[in-house]
Amino acid sequence: AYWFIILMAIPACLLALHASWRGNSISGLVLALISLCSLLLGMHDIRMHNYQISLENIYLLPLSQIGFFIVFAFIIRHRYLEGVESLERSREVLAQRLREREAELADSYARLREVERRELLSHERQRLMHDMHDGLGGSLAGMLRMMERDDCNTDGLKAALQECIDELRLTIDSLEPLESDVSVLLAGLRFRLQPRLEAAGIRLVWRVEALPLLPWLTPSHAMHVMRIVQEVVTNVVKHAEAREMVFSTQADAAGACIRIEDDGKGFAGEAGATGGHGLRNIRYRAALLGASVRWQARATADGGPAGTCFTFLLPLAAPAATVADPH
């Protein structure tokens, strides 16, 4: 049986030598040579076992097996270190690719931000052009028509110039950073409107409380809010013959409520809210904001008119509805 094992092992070792040589595997060659040497040493041990040589000799096959396992352990250790090194190289390659990808993404993000900035600037330029054309341009055109008709009385020119200044101030105020705080917007309006009310003999009562932040309040929306409030104040100054105006705010689950009350002559029910160019503008701008507006006539104890209460409710969520320009 031992000789049969030796005869089977010899071609196996030769095949291993041939495969290692063709595969240029040094470790395979070493193991194949050690295995071939083990066969020779095994033949020595078999002869010693069969009393063909002196029993005073030692068995050599266990010694060769010890050498085989030492070499095998060295090869395993070498393969393990190569695997670890390969893994480190793979990690470095992956990290390099990741850095390159991050650089590409950062470059793409920078280009996207630049495109967004340009679009924002273009949109803001268009808004300013539209506001100045409709506001300041209309006032200046009215002054030009007055001069062409030789209707240049001092009071008329003064009022027209005041309207131009108010329009310019509104445009400038709409560019101020509000950080979604409508209270800051109202504070700026008070600074602009109070001298005008005092000049008209109207006392301003300011009862503005802190309002919730409106994340959708962009400069364009701020302009609509300011124009609505300015239009209401202008109507009070020109038509109400009021002596006092109460400006108050209130916040609830529905949104931020702005209320303007005066003690002028008022009007009956909602009749005053349905006619007039300025009131249609107010409704149109409120629709753009997704807000609601309402006029209510106040009455005295004897049933007589005691002014008007204007309510302006701004929603907490961003406006989604789009409406057509009434003009």
Side-chain angles (χ1 to χ4, degrees):
Y2 291 129
W3 288 109
F4 176 76
I5 294 174
I6 292 174
L7 292 177
M8 293 297 294
I10 290 175
C13 291
L14 295 177
L15 183 62
L17 283 172
H18 178 71
S20 300
W21 179 264
R22 293 190 59 182
N24 196 22
S25 173
I26 297 178
S27 60
L29 287 173
V30 172
L31 288 178
L33 289 174
I34 292 177
S35 299
L36 191 58
C37 293
S38 298
L39 291 176
L40 297 176
L41 296 178
M43 294 173 63
H44 169 269
D45 291 350
I46 291 175
R47 292 181 63 194
M48 182 178 171
H49 185 70
N50 293 329
Y51 304 104
Q52 296 177 0
I53 59 176
S54 176
L55 295 177
E56 295 180 355
N57 295 325
I58 62 174
Y59 287 99
L60 299 178
L61 184 61
L63 298 178
S64 68
Q65 295 300 317
I66 293 174
F68 178 88
F69 282 109
I70 291 175
V71 174
F72 188 79
F74 175 79
I75 293 173
I76 292 298
R77 177 181 177 275
H78 180 69
R79 294 286 181 90
Y80 172 76
L81 294 178
E82 283 185 346
V84 172
E85 185 179 356
S86 175
L87 179 60
E88 291 295 331
R89 288 197 301 269
S90 299
R91 288 179 178 178
E92 292 178 0
V93 172
L94 182 60
Q96 179 64 26
R97 291 180 179 177
L98 181 60
R99 287 192 294 269
E100 293 175 357
R101 185 59 177 168
E102 287 178 349
E104 293 176 0
L105 290 175
D107 184 59
S108 300
Y109 180 73
R111 290 198 300 267
L112 179 60
R113 293 290 296 175
E114 180 64 21
V115 171
E116 291 179 349
R117 187 185 68 84
R118 292 179 181 178
E119 290 181 354
L120 180 61
L121 288 176
S122 176
H123 177 73
E124 198 63 22
R125 290 191 189 102
Q126 293 177 1
R127 184 186 70 83
L128 288 175
M129 291 171 59
H130 183 270
D131 290 337
M132 295 186 71
H133 176 271
D134 292 348
L136 186 59
S139 300
L140 292 175
M143 292 177 61
L144 181 61
R145 285 195 296 269
M146 290 173 59
M147 297 180 67
E148 290 175 349
R149 294 196 306 265
D150 294 330
D151 187 15
C152 300
N153 60 81
T154 304
D155 294 337
L157 286 176
K158 183 178 179 180
L161 287 173
Q162 184 62 48
E163 289 182 1
C164 291
I165 293 174
D166 291 341
E167 290 292 340
L168 183 59
R169 286 174 174 173
L170 280 179
T171 303
I172 294 174
D173 288 344
S174 68
L175 299 177
E176 292 292 333
L178 302 175
E179 298 182 354
S180 305
D181 193 350
V182 71
S183 300
V184 176
L185 182 64
L186 296 178
L189 277 173
R190 179 187 183 185
F191 176 75
R192 301 294 188 192
L193 297 176
Q194 189 163 3
R196 184 177 178 185
L197 294 174
E198 292 176 354
I202 300 176
R203 186 172 70 93
L204 177 62
V205 179
W206 193 259
R207 297 174 181 169
V208 173
E209 301 176 357
L211 294 175
L213 297 179
L214 304 179
W216 53 266
L217 190 63
T218 63
S220 177
H221 293 140
M223 174 64 78
H224 289 311
V225 173
M226 289 190 294
R227 288 191 180 277
I228 288 175
V229 175
Q230 185 188 39
E231 184 69 30
V232 172
V233 173
T234 300
N235 289 338
V236 173
V237 172
K238 289 184 177 180
H239 308 297
E241 299 178 4
R243 293 171 298 179
E244 182 180 86
M245 178 184 296
V246 180
F247 207 109
S248 60
T249 58
Q250 183 180 0
D252 53 25
C257 179
I258 302 173
R259 186 175 291 107
I260 302 175
E261 301 176 74
D262 65 83
D263 59 352
K265 58 184 181 181
F267 53 83
E270 290 282 345
T274 58
H277 181 76
L279 300 183
R280 287 197 301 271
N281 279 341
I282 291 176
R283 288 191 176 276
Y284 166 65
R285 295 182 185 278
L288 290 178
L289 296 172
S292 61
V293 293
R294 185 177 60 176
W295 290 263
Q296 286 181 316
R298 300 168 60 194
T300 59
D302 56 0
T308 306
C309 176
F310 170 75
T311 304
F312 182 21
L313 182 61
L314 292 168
L316 297 179
T322 56
V323 296
D325 193 326
H327 310 305

